[in-house]
């Protein structure tokens, strides 16, 4: 007999979870308050053109190869992916540029020309260390149900604490980089990997060096944009038998007998379920956005303001560009990275922000767009205070931030001329889309060696309620969210099978009957 599973939220974690459960024969209903799938992997219209407004980098394609294989499909039959030869272009001013390449030796040579032979050797050591961390944690942590500290020690540290130290959990990322690079610009570049988790390189563990290995293992261009991935997963979930309802806002998770038993929509409609999967930020549960009965269901609950990951201010635009030779992924660094993060920690927009710019119509060549306007996404980090009255996030401060960001681009030689109104998204807007977060985009910040162990696993404290998404284990990012959806599907399936399994009954006389 099939069991009813309701999944709340059509982000990547929810889509993967719904598709896998439906493929296993469960009766799956996926509810999404927006008009289309994707969650943070969203799309906006700017200048009448659709463009990505969320994650722009596709990595760890083997995660999706495995998910599609579980669904009886091939990833390449649904998405056209092209490997990027240049991972990103980095700039400090109009003269100082550095490209990182998919080809390892090309990156070594580029760093040698940019900063000298000693720094190139430091990069070799750094990449070796990053690979060891990634390879150690891939099977023991990222793809397993949320392990505790002792469980991880048991899997990777058969030699005790020295073995655990191999994954570098105790020192900061910034401290570890100082041991590999003397050039402050390279420390800044590789310290930026902490922001992939919405964190500060001075507070995040050195374990995050593994992001460098992930990126170097392959970055892919997705024809149609990253949002296309969400559309394809939604179609596969439907093909597997899941029902998707858009414009459906869940007001409350229903509880009966100490167990989640369904949901109530904002329309008043009640939908019964044997299991409920919440694919959203755990902060929404702990803040009571889905009812008081599940307020404590998300483990430790919502992170407090100092524990939240970073938010962002983004601008989508169709614009003409001249000067700087843009590629697909470009980073324009501030002159004082430490001051930038001090501002963010203090709840201020950076006085001089580092800016990421995705030129969505470009690929590996500096001029693959033959003149004219093109689609751009520009992003700077921001404090996660979208649910408060932080004066730093008022409209006049957002405009000041835009001006200083454009000035930073101009100092690097890039002149932008928007051809239409820009679509601006602030921490306040992100809070409206993802309540209970303050606009934090990555769940709790990855600060301190215990941060990864504080993330909620697939099973909440409330029986029948399960969790998926970037705020849960194994962490933020598109492939990690997909893994969280797979872990949630595994846990739901195992628990429902256990409930259906006959249990021994002791009869008078001591006979055990099944």
């Amino acid at each position: 007999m099939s069991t009813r599973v309701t999944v709340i939220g059509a982000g990547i974690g929810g889509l993967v979870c719904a598709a896998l459960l439906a493929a296993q024969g469960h009766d799956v209903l996926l509810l999404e308050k927006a008009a289309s799938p994707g969650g943070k992997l969203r799309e906006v219209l700017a200048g009448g053109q659709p463009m990505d407004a969320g994650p722009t980098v596709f990595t760890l394609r083997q995660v999706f190869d495995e998910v599609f294989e579980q669904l009886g499909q091939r990833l390449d039959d649904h998405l056209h992916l092209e490997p990027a030869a240049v991972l990103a272009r980095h700039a400090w001013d109009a003269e100082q540029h550095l490209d990182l390449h998919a080809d390892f030796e090309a990156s070594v040579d580029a760093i040698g020309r940019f900063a000298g032979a000693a720094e190139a050797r430091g990069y070799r050591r750094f990449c070796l260390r990053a690979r060891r961390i990634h390879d150690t944690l891939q099977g023991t942590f990222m793809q397993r149900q949320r392990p505790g500290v002792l469980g991880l020690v048991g899997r990777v540290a058969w030699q005790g604490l020295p073995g655990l130290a191999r994954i570098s959990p105790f020192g900061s990322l910034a401290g570890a980089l100082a041991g590999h690079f003397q050039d402050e610009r390279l420390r800044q570049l590789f310290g930026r990997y902490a922001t992939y988790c919405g964190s500060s390189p001075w507070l995040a563990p050195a374990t995050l060096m593994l992001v460098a290995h992930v990126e170097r293992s392959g970055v892919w261009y997705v024809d149609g944009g990253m949002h296309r991935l969400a559309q394809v997963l939604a179609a596969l979930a439907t093909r597997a038998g899941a029902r998707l309802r858009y414009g459906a806002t869940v007001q409350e998770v229903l509880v009966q007998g100490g167990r989640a038993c369904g949901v109530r929509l904002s329309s008043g409609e009640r939908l019964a379920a044997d299991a409920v999967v919440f694919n959203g930020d755990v902060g929404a549960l702990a803040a009571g956005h889905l009812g008081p009965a599940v307020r404590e269901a998300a483990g430790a609950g919502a992170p407090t303001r100092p524990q939240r990951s970073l938010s962002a201010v983004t601008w989508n635009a169709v614009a003409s560009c001249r000067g700087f030779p843009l590629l697909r992924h470009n980073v324009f660094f501030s002159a004082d990275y430490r001051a930038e993060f001090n501002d963010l920690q203090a709840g201020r927009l950076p006085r001089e922000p580092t800016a990421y710019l995705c030129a969505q119509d470009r690929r590996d060549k500096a001029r693959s767009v033959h003149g004219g306007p093109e689609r751009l996404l520009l992003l700077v980090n921001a404090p996660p205070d979208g649910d408060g009255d932080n004066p730093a996030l008022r409209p006049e401060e957002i405009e000041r931030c835009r001006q200083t960001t454009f000035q930073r681009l101009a100092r690097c030689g890039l002149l932008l001329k928007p051809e239409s109104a820009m679509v601006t998204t602030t921490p306040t807007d992100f809070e409206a889309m993802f309540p209970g977060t303050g606009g934090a985009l990555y769940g709790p910040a990855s600060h301190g060696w215990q941060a990864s162990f504080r993330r909620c696993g697939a099973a909440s404290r409330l029986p029948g309620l399960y969790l998926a998404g970037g705020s849960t284990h194994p962490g933020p990012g598109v492939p990690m969210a997909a893994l969280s959806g797979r872990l949630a599907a595994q846990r739901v399936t195992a628990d429902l099978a256990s409930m259906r399994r006959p249990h021994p009954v002791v009869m008078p006389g001591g006979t055990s009957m099944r």
Side-chain angles (χ1 to χ4, degrees), residues 351-374:
R351 284 163 284 189
E352 185 184 2
T354 292
Y356 164 72
L357 190 152
C358 178
Q360 298 185 29
D361 298 309
R362 301 192 184 217
R363 297 205 172 180
D364 287 333
K365 295 182 180 179
R367 192 61 189 172
S368 57
V369 175
H370 302 291
E374 54 188 294

Side-chain angles (χ1 to χ4, degrees), residues 272-355:
D274 299 296
V276 176
V277 180
F278 177 63
N279 173 222
D281 198 284
V282 295
L285 291 178
H289 288 292
L290 292 179
V294 298
R295 186 185 297 271
E296 299 301 324
T304 62
R305 163 63 180 82
Q307 295 173 329
R308 287 174 174 172
S309 61
L310 294 172
S311 186
V313 179
T314 67
W315 296 274
N316 282 89
V318 174
S320 297
C321 309
R322 60 185 177 89
F324 185 88
L326 289 171
L327 300 182
R328 171 67 68 87
H329 304 294
N330 311 269
V331 183
F332 301 88
F333 283 108
S334 63
D336 190 338
Y337 213 36
R338 188 65 182 262
E340 181 178 347
F341 280 89
N342 287 342
D343 282 342
L344 292 166
Q345 289 297 117
R348 298 187 295 264
L349 288 168
R351 284 163 284 189
E352 185 184 2
T354 292

Side-chain angles (χ1 to χ4, degrees), residues 6-326:
T6 295
V7 180
I8 305 169
I12 292 300
L15 290 167
V16 168
C17 183
L20 292 176
L21 288 172
Q24 294 168 18
H26 297 287
D27 179 7
V28 178
L29 173 63
L30 177 55
L31 303 170
E32 169 55 53
K33 68 177 181 179
S36 60
K40 294 186 179 75
L41 197 69
R42 62 196 186 98
E43 188 177 66
V44 300
L45 283 175
Q49 296 194 41
M51 62 185 77
D52 287 329
T56 58
V57 181
F58 187 95
T59 59
L60 288 178
R61 70 161 286 169
Q62 65 268 28
V63 170
F64 294 97
D65 282 326
E66 292 168 2
V67 168
F68 277 65
E69 184 178 352
Q70 286 182 269
L71 296 172
Q73 304 290 323
R74 291 178 66 253
L75 178 63
D76 288 331
D77 290 339
H78 297 272
L79 287 175
H80 182 263
L81 302 174
E82 178 185 334
V86 182
L87 304 180
R89 174 157 288 173
H90 308 84
W92 288 261
D93 58 33
E95 303 299 326
Q96 300 181 84
H97 301 172
L98 174 62
D99 292 350
L100 290 183
H101 303 263
D103 181 270
F104 176 65
E105 293 299 333
S107 289
V108 171
D109 291 344
I111 289 172
R113 292 191 302 271
F114 179 75
E119 299 298 81
R121 291 192 295 271
Y123 177 68
R124 287 185 184 276
R125 295 192 301 272
F126 167 76
C127 288
L128 178 61
R129 188 174 174 187
R131 178 174 182 171
R132 286 173 175 168
I133 294 171
H134 173 269
D135 291 351
T136 300
L137 291 177
Q138 181 180 23
T140 60
F141 185 79
M142 290 187 286
Q143 300 198 39
R144 288 180 176 264
Q145 298 289 340
R146 177 176 174 261
V149 178
L150 294 179
L152 181 61
V153 169
R155 293 188 183 117
V156 308
W158 59 272
Q159 293 178 334
L161 288 179
L164 184 61
R166 284 199 299 271
I167 63 173
S168 304
F170 302 118
S172 71
L173 177 59
L177 293 174
H180 291 280
F181 303 106
Q182 295 299 312
D183 193 301
E184 186 61 35
R185 297 168 300 176
L186 296 180
R187 297 184 194 181
Q188 193 176 19
L189 191 162
F190 295 109
R192 186 174 175 273
Y193 287 128
T195 65
Y196 285 38
C197 299
S199 304
S200 162
W202 286 273
L203 298 174
T207 308
L208 290 183
M209 286 190 291
L210 67 83
V211 178
H213 179 72
V214 167
E215 200 168 67
R216 196 169 58 79
S217 298
V219 170
W220 304 80
Y221 302 127
V222 183
D223 275 7
M226 289 288 287
H227 185 67
R228 178 69 184 144
L229 174 62
Q231 294 172 327
V232 166
L233 285 171
L236 289 181
T238 301
R239 179 185 295 185
R243 292 167 290 136
L244 277 63
R245 287 179 57 178
Y246 298 108
T249 301
V250 175
Q251 199 77 25
E252 181 183 7
V253 173
L254 302 175
V255 177
Q256 185 175 27
R259 180 180 179 84
C261 64
V263 300
R264 177 174 62 84
L265 304 184
S266 58
S267 63
E269 182 181 3
R270 290 173 175 254
L271 301 167
D274 299 296
V276 176
V277 180
F278 177 63
N279 173 222
D281 198 284
V282 295
L285 291 178
H289 288 292
L290 292 179
V294 298
R295 186 185 297 271
E296 299 301 324
T304 62
R305 163 63 180 82
Q307 295 173 329
R308 287 174 174 172
S309 61
L310 294 172
S311 186
V313 179
T314 67
W315 296 274
N316 282 89
V318 174
S320 297
C321 309
R322 60 185 177 89
F324 185 88
L326 289 171

